[in-house]
Amino acid sequence: MKRFIISVFALVLSLSFSIKVNATSKCDYKEQAELNSIVANIKASYEEKEGILDRNEYPVPDAVLGTPEEETYVGTYNYFGISILNLTSKFYVVVTNNVNEDTKTFNYSDSVEGVINFDLKNISKVTTFTIKVYSSNETRCANELYRTVYLTTPRLNVYYNYDLCDNAADYYLCKKYVTFPEVESGSFYTQIEKYLDEKNDVSEKPKDENEKWYQKAFNFIKEKKVIFIVSGVSLIVVSGVVIAVIVKKRRSSDL
């Protein structure tokens, strides 16, 4: 019985010690408030960048072949530079995306003055990054999730440099970067041709309306001119009659 009581007492002490250790390992209210203030400034952004292809990775365009520019022609490609801003030593981030299973973990030591940079080379799909921000070992509550940041990058539109888009740069199917699902080529041609036809109709309407307006204005002026001429003739006739009456009266009075 005595040994049983001692065992129970030891178990209670170990539990108490465990609870105490766990309690002291957690951040207190003041530190949590500080961490929440810091983590609110951690953001993510992206920007378009241009890379240079290896000479063996691309064919020289037909328009350049046989010209002086062929020797100096350089193939380029676009990609996105991803940046995570304002990271401090009190946090680290775990980055995943919805396109593949890549998982990247970045600590403050991986940053340049608190900025984490990495590249997204495949921009053929709309990509959403999930950036989970955890407290680091420099806090008393390490590995706790404090914030989740989302960043979505658009995809490169394969149609944006088509000849049909030269006169439709403002049309959504001709934008360089888009977020809508991919469109089949047949649907693209149908929609863009319809858009261009409607655009041409709209551009011609003001011309027709202007012509109608000028015609109305001309007819109005012409009409007023005739009226003015008629009125002028009437005025001359009336004036002649008045003068004739006055002259006749004067002759009568002279007699």
Side-chain angles (χ1 to χ4, degrees):
M1 183 69 178
K2 183 177 180 181
R3 294 178 64 182
F4 174 78
I5 294 174
I6 293 174
S7 299
V8 172
F9 182 75
L11 178 62
V12 171
L13 282 178
S14 64
L15 289 174
S16 300
F17 179 77
S18 176
I19 294 170
K20 184 177 181 181
V21 170
N22 290 335
T24 56
S25 68
K26 299 296 181 181
C27 293
D28 57 21
Y29 176 80
K30 182 179 179 180
E31 187 172 7
Q32 286 183 359
E34 179 187 359
L35 293 176
N36 284 326
S37 177
I38 295 172
V39 79
N41 294 318
I42 297 177
K43 306 179 187 303
S45 64
Y46 72 92
E47 64 174 332
E48 179 189 35
K49 292 189 175 184
E50 186 175 80
I52 298 176
L53 291 169
D54 185 271
R55 187 75 175 181
N56 299 320
E57 293 180 347
Y58 62 90
V60 178
D62 294 340
V64 180
L65 285 173
T67 67
E69 289 78 20
E70 181 177 355
E71 290 299 322
T72 58
Y73 179 81
V74 176
T76 60
Y77 68 97
N78 292 118
Y79 66 96
F80 291 137
I82 311 298
S83 297
I84 301 173
L85 312 173
N86 305 319
L87 188 67
T88 73
S89 60
K90 294 183 180 294
F91 293 99
Y92 67 92
V93 294
V94 177
V95 183
T96 57
N97 67 76
N98 65 323
V99 175
N100 54 48
E101 298 180 355
D102 288 351
T103 299
K104 298 179 177 9
T105 300
F106 298 101
N107 297 293
Y108 179 72
S109 58
D110 300 315
S111 74
V112 177
E113 297 182 350
V115 179
I116 298 291
N117 292 305
F118 63 94
D119 298 329
L120 175 64
K121 295 296 180 70
N122 182 7
I123 56 176
S124 62
K125 295 182 179 180
V126 176
T127 304
T128 297
F129 290 94
T130 300
I131 304 166
K132 294 188 175 183
V133 186
Y134 294 90
S135 51
S136 71
N137 290 330
E138 291 197 12
T139 68
R140 289 181 293 177
C141 46
N143 304 319
E144 288 189 2
L145 178 62
Y146 266 77
R147 188 182 183 194
T148 301
V149 179
Y150 297 98
L151 176 69
T152 298
T153 59
R155 65 178 176 84
L156 180 65
N157 180 16
V158 295
Y159 301 118
Y160 89 96
N161 58 354
Y162 276 34
D163 291 341
L164 277 175
C165 285
D166 290 344
N167 297 319
D170 56 337
Y171 190 47
Y172 82 102
L173 284 179
C174 290
K175 297 294 185 182
K176 186 174 183 179
Y177 295 109
V178 297
T179 55
F180 55 80
E182 294 184 10
V183 177
E184 293 182 355
S185 59
S187 178
F188 166 76
Y189 284 112
T190 299
Q191 292 186 61
I192 194 68
E193 288 173 358
K194 179 181 178 182
Y195 170 79
L196 290 173
D197 288 342
E198 292 176 351
K199 184 178 180 181
N200 291 334
D201 289 343
V202 171
S203 63
E204 289 175 0
K205 283 184 179 179
K207 182 178 179 182
D208 294 339
E209 293 298 327
N210 286 337
E211 289 179 355
K212 290 180 182 179
W213 187 87
Y214 286 131
Q215 188 63 44
K216 289 180 181 179
F218 176 77
N219 292 337
F220 176 79
I221 294 171
K222 184 178 179 181
E223 181 182 353
K224 292 298 182 182
K225 185 177 179 181
V226 171
I227 293 173
F228 175 76
I229 293 173
V230 173
S231 300
V233 172
S234 301
L235 179 61
I236 293 172
V237 173
V238 172
S239 299
V241 172
V242 172
I243 292 172
V245 171
I246 293 173
V247 170
K248 185 176 181 180
K249 285 185 177 181
R250 284 185 176 178
R251 288 179 177 176
S252 299
S253 60
D254 291 341
L255 294 174

